[in-house]
Amino acid sequence: MDNRLAQHLPQMQHVNVKLLLRNPEQVDLEPLIPVFHDWIRDQVGEGLLLDVADYRHVDAGPGVVLIGHEGNYSVDNTDNRLGVRYNRKAALDGGNQDRLKQAVRAALIACQRLEAETRLGGRLRFNGQEMEIFINDRLLAPNCEATREAFDSDFRSISEELFRGSKYSMSYDSDPRKLFGVCVKAAQPFALAELLEKLG
């Protein structure tokens, strides 16, 4: 690994976590808009929530985004893979596992709230097995082999904690045009509450 790259990579920031949804063809994104506006009104969750952006017209795009000061929440369809995504924007203290756990927890809690939202008719459900983790910073984490070597052990640690008791697989997309990230898939489904409990 290039020593200059190694010096910059060990501390990750701007972690994104996306929980893949079951039966994405049944999900209607339009009802999310008033739901997210209510989240702003009530300031649910962590961080300051500010606005809602509607990108439903963009094919395989960001969907509906709830914009926050510290992070964004969205039901995102990037690469035609529909999921609940948390995008941490503000820097966070602590180590890599602290940052990963914060982003995973935020995504799990958001998905849990959306699953329970009656206006969505029970159609929005985590598939129980798949999540994608990205570093939304191309300068810090270019999508290359050196970055994978630097962060693979961090991704394995959080995956083992979340999916302990089950086998899991990890796959990387090597396309340098895309954000660096990993797709983690457990061999068996887990409930959101169970994954939150495992995080502690």
Side-chain angles (χ1 to χ4, degrees):
M1 182 189 305
D2 186 307
N3 287 334
R4 290 170 300 174
L5 186 58
Q7 289 171 1
H8 294 290
L9 282 179
Q11 296 303 312
M12 61 177 67
Q13 289 287 1
H14 311 301
V15 177
N16 283 213
V17 173
K18 180 175 175 179
L19 306 175
L20 277 296
L21 296 178
R22 186 189 312 166
N23 302 323
E25 68 283 352
Q26 296 180 9
V27 177
D28 181 6
L29 297 185
E30 185 172 3
L32 281 167
I33 296 171
V35 169
F36 280 162
H37 278 294
D38 285 352
W39 287 21
I40 295 171
R41 182 195 64 204
D42 300 333
Q43 287 298 308
V44 302
E46 61 177 86
L48 177 64
L49 302 177
L50 302 169
D51 201 1
V52 178
D54 182 1
Y55 295 102
R56 288 175 296 154
H57 60 284
V58 179
D59 186 48
V64 178
V65 183
L66 173 58
I67 299 167
H69 182 264
E70 293 83 1
N72 295 344
Y73 299 87
S74 61
V75 177
D76 170 276
N77 197 36
T78 300
D79 295 330
N80 286 306
R81 288 171 62 79
L82 192 67
V84 174
R85 182 170 183 165
Y86 174 75
N87 169 18
R88 178 74 189 191
K89 299 190 295 185
L92 190 68
D93 292 336
N96 287 347
Q97 288 303 301
D98 298 311
R99 297 179 186 118
L100 284 168
K101 286 180 181 181
Q102 184 275 331
V104 170
R105 185 178 289 109
L108 289 169
I109 291 171
C111 194
Q112 201 172 49
R113 284 196 181 102
L114 291 170
E115 282 194 353
E117 175 54 62
T118 56
R119 284 172 287 182
L120 301 180
R123 293 187 179 89
L124 195 154
R125 296 283 174 189
F126 176 43
N127 70 16
Q129 293 180 278
E130 283 184 277
M131 71 171 56
E132 297 174 350
I133 306 173
F134 305 96
I135 308 301
N136 193 9
D137 189 325
R138 295 180 190 275
L139 184 61
L140 173 72
N143 194 3
C144 63
E145 183 62 32
T147 312
R148 291 190 284 278
E149 290 177 7
F151 287 140
D152 185 77
S153 62
D154 285 308
F155 291 150
R156 289 190 186 279
S157 292
I158 190 77
S159 300
E160 286 167 8
E161 185 167 350
L162 281 169
F163 298 126
R164 61 182 177 268
S166 173
K167 293 181 179 179
Y168 67 89
S169 61
M170 292 172 45
S171 60
Y172 292 94
D173 189 330
S174 60
D175 186 343
R177 296 169 297 178
K178 294 185 177 181
L179 292 175
F180 167 71
V182 64
C183 180
V184 185
K185 184 172 184 178
Q188 66 185 61
F190 288 84
L192 293 167
E194 186 177 2
L195 295 176
L196 279 165
E197 184 178 357
K198 287 174 181 287
L199 275 183

